[in-house]
């Protein structure tokens, strides 16, 4: 029989408790992420402009901001940035968004694309905030 340099270790109660808490946190996080409703509108903010578009209507939105050019596409109830001349391309690599609260941000162009609508089961105001 071979000698192992480290003695075998058994799971303790605290190990099981930590794994259980991590699994519970993952389930709760997934619930809140997946419980968002499909959005109804898309808000595009750039410079001092804010434009809102319906997600029911497919369209291509050219955006010029801060010396950069982006193409925002609304298609089949979802939004994506398909082209951008910004140096990092994070906005293009963000993929497609369609759920309330999701956003695509292009920092160099100072552009924010956000999905708006009601969140399922959410309150209308933030606790402690002004109505």
């Amino acid at each position: 029989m071979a000698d192992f340099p480290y003695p075998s270790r058994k799971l303790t109660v605290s190990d099981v408790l930590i794994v259980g808490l991590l699994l519970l946190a993952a389930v709760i996080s997934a619930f809140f992420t997946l419980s968002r409703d499909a959005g109804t509108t898309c808000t595009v903010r750039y410079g001092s402009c804010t434009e809102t578009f319906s997600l029911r209507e497919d369209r291509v939105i050219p955006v010029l901001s801060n010396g950069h050019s982006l193409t925002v596409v609304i298609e089949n109830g979802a939004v994506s940035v398909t082209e951008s001349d910004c140096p990092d391309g994070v906005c293009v690599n963000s993929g497609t968004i369609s759920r309330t609260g999701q956003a695509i941000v292009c920092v160099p162009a100072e552009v924010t694309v956000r999905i708006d609508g009601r969140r399922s089961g959410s309150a209308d105001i933030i606790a402690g905030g002004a109505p």
Side-chain angles (χ1 to χ4, degrees):
M1 192 140 191
D3 287 333
F4 292 106
Y6 301 103
S8 67
R9 299 178 79 175
K10 295 185 179 188
L11 289 177
T12 64
V13 174
S14 61
D15 293 336
V16 173
L17 183 62
I18 289 171
V19 169
L21 288 174
L22 289 173
L23 287 174
L24 180 64
V27 168
I28 290 171
S29 178
F31 172 76
F32 282 113
T33 300
L34 297 175
S35 68
R36 293 181 179 171
D37 289 335
T40 55
T41 60
C42 165
T43 301
V44 180
R45 290 190 177 108
Y46 56 97
S48 61
C49 298
T50 300
E51 297 184 62
T52 302
F53 304 94
S54 172
L55 292 179
R56 294 181 183 166
E57 197 175 312
D58 292 353
R59 66 174 59 217
V60 176
I61 307 160
V63 178
L64 298 172
S65 177
N66 202 30
H68 295 283
S69 149
L70 285 83
T71 303
V72 178
V73 176
I74 300 174
E75 189 173 49
N76 299 324
V79 182
S80 62
V81 174
T82 58
E83 296 177 20
S84 175
D85 62 3
C86 63
D88 54 10
V90 171
C91 53
V92 175
N93 295 327
S94 294
T96 303
I97 59 174
S98 62
R99 302 247 176 230
T100 300
Q102 289 182 314
I104 298 173
V105 178
C106 181
V107 175
E110 298 176 1
V111 174
T112 303
V113 179
R114 182 176 172 87
I115 302 291
D116 301 312
R118 270 189 86 96
R119 292 183 187 198
S120 61
S122 67
D124 288 337
I125 61 171
I126 297 173

